[in-house]
Amino acid sequence: MKKELQLHDLLYVNEHLTCYHYMSEIGTGFIYDELKAGEVFPLRNLPCNHLLLFLEGSCTLSYNQFIGHHFGAGEMVLLPGAAEFQGTVNEDLKLLYMSFKVPMNGCDKLLLQNLQPHCTRIQYNFRPLPLRYPLNTFAEQLSYCLRNGINCAHFHELKHKELFFYIRGFYSKEEIAELFYPIIGQSFDFRKFVVDNYRKVRTLHELIELSNMSRNSFMRRFKTEFGITAKQWMLKQTCQRMAYAFTQPEATVKEVMSELGFDSPSNFNRFCKANFQCSPSELLRRYRENPEWFTTPQKQEKSQ
């Protein structure tokens, strides 16, 4: 006779709560969440990367120039650290998300670094991957443990490594490259430095000084890591932030100019005409009419 699966509450709760390794606040690790239709995503620690695993329901997410993409149960997608992000819930949503800066396992770092050649053949468009068995079962089990209060730092570390094992074992290199496309590179430490600090400075010169590297060394390493020059990359980030800002319902030209650090309307106007071939007010109008409209800067190559 087949027995029904018995679900139990966590035992010895106080022992877990008083353990030195118990995580009262999640910096990097897993979080299970349930959101009602119409709610806004409450993602925290956005400087980190977020791997979102959707268990039930559906939502609409936007980051940088990728506006209004729809995701649902049985899918997963990556939100890269430092992205301009917003999301709303369409149908009551249950999801699991992993916040991380770099893979914990050296093998996983090496895997992503070695996938860089695959990225040259990918037209990245913020598409999801399916939650394929056994990853879907892993997500359900982990969600159950988190709901019942298992929140040890060691537990999060083990599950982080286990998740990457399933991805490496049951997804093709092409699929993995597309999922992690925004963070794939040759040096996680250098890439992390750039992503963590480029908004803290006003110029490329300030970013180079902050790196404690010579200008020539910084430029060579940047081109190797990102595939384009540092100037081109910084320009693209500004344009993507501008695209995101102009899609906000309450956005005004003056507010966007201030948010992006332009010191005068004339400089802002020159920047928009040089890189979008239109004035700021025309750019705002185009985004209001079509949020998915996006023009990349001229003379700019594809980047991560």
Side-chain angles (χ1 to χ4, degrees):
M1 178 178 179
K2 185 177 181 181
K3 295 182 179 179
E4 292 186 4
L5 176 65
Q6 298 293 313
L7 301 181
H8 301 280
D9 292 332
L10 183 66
L11 301 177
Y12 313 114
V13 175
N14 287 336
E15 291 184 13
H16 292 277
L17 296 178
T18 57
C19 174
Y20 175 78
H21 296 288
Y22 182 85
M23 299 170 67
S24 59
E25 291 291 335
I26 302 298
T28 56
F30 292 90
I31 291 178
Y32 171 81
D33 213 345
E34 296 184 7
L35 304 173
K36 295 294 184 182
E39 284 190 61
V40 175
F41 264 71
L43 285 182
R44 299 179 289 276
N45 204 22
L46 284 178
C48 290
N49 306 303
H50 284 77
L51 183 62
L52 308 182
L53 289 75
F54 302 105
L55 309 179
E56 294 183 17
S58 64
C59 61
T60 300
L61 305 180
S62 301
Y63 95 82
N64 293 351
Q65 76 271 31
F66 303 106
I67 307 299
H69 287 232
H70 301 288
F71 304 94
E75 296 179 331
M76 63 177 171
V77 73
L78 180 79
L79 281 172
E84 296 285 354
F85 165 77
Q86 67 178 4
T88 55
V89 179
N90 302 328
E91 302 171 279
D92 289 358
L93 189 67
K94 294 181 180 180
L95 77 156
L96 180 71
Y97 57 92
M98 181 178 74
S99 174
F100 70 104
K101 294 183 178 179
V102 298
M104 292 181 177
N105 192 314
C107 293
D108 298 323
K109 290 182 183 178
L110 185 61
L111 168 70
L112 296 189
Q113 290 170 350
N114 289 340
L115 288 176
Q116 197 167 30
H118 290 274
C119 292
T120 62
R121 300 188 290 273
I122 291 174
Q123 184 64 42
Y124 179 73
N125 194 35
F126 192 36
R127 286 187 292 267
L129 283 184
L131 284 179
R132 190 171 297 151
Y133 185 85
L135 190 55
N136 56 346
T137 302
F138 162 86
E140 292 174 2
Q141 182 191 62
L142 176 53
S143 299
Y144 178 79
C145 292
L146 294 174
R147 293 199 308 271
N148 277 273
I150 296 182
N151 214 26
C152 172
H154 295 313
F155 178 74
H156 284 270
E157 181 178 346
L158 287 170
K159 290 302 178 181
H160 173 114
K161 294 177 179 179
E162 184 179 353
L163 181 146
F164 272 97
F165 268 118
Y166 295 140
I167 289 176
R168 290 168 58 193
F170 298 96
Y171 292 85
S172 69
K173 290 181 180 180
E174 290 75 16
E175 289 175 317
I176 300 172
E178 182 161 9
L179 178 64
F180 291 103
Y181 181 95
I183 66 170
I184 288 176
Q186 294 188 6
S187 171
F188 280 103
D189 291 338
F190 182 77
R191 179 177 287 265
K192 180 179 180 301
F193 164 79
V194 172
V195 172
D196 286 350
N197 292 286
Y198 80 93
R199 289 192 186 181
K200 300 176 184 178
V201 300
R202 294 181 61 86
T203 65
L204 177 58
H205 176 72
E206 291 178 2
L207 184 62
I208 295 173
E209 285 192 333
L210 196 60
S211 73
N212 293 320
M213 299 172 64
S214 70
R215 181 179 179 85
N216 288 340
S217 295
F218 182 93
M219 292 300 194
R220 283 196 301 269
R221 190 164 183 181
F222 199 103
K223 183 66 179 293
T224 299
E225 177 64 26
F226 290 91
I228 57 175
T229 67
K231 183 178 179 180
Q232 288 173 320
W233 189 87
M234 293 281 281
L235 173 62
K236 182 172 183 178
Q237 305 318 302
T238 300
C239 289
Q240 289 181 340
R241 291 177 62 195
M242 188 180 298
Y244 175 86
F246 274 133
T247 62
Q248 304 309 299
E250 305 301 323
T252 65
V253 170
K254 185 177 180 180
E255 288 172 349
V256 174
M257 182 186 76
S258 176
E259 180 181 337
L260 296 178
F262 288 89
D263 55 9
S264 70
S266 59
N267 285 340
F268 191 40
N269 188 63
R270 280 195 294 271
F271 182 90
C272 289
K273 286 189 174 180
N275 295 288
F276 294 93
Q277 298 79 51
C278 62
S279 67
S281 57
E282 176 67 11
L283 192 59
L284 177 60
R285 183 188 66 79
R286 291 185 183 184
Y287 277 115
R288 289 283 166 80
E289 292 177 353
N290 180 15
E292 296 188 12
W293 180 86
F294 181 74
T295 301
T296 54
Q298 291 182 331
K299 299 181 182 178
Q300 179 173 301
E301 302 170 36
K302 171 183 169 295
S303 74
Q304 318 301 357

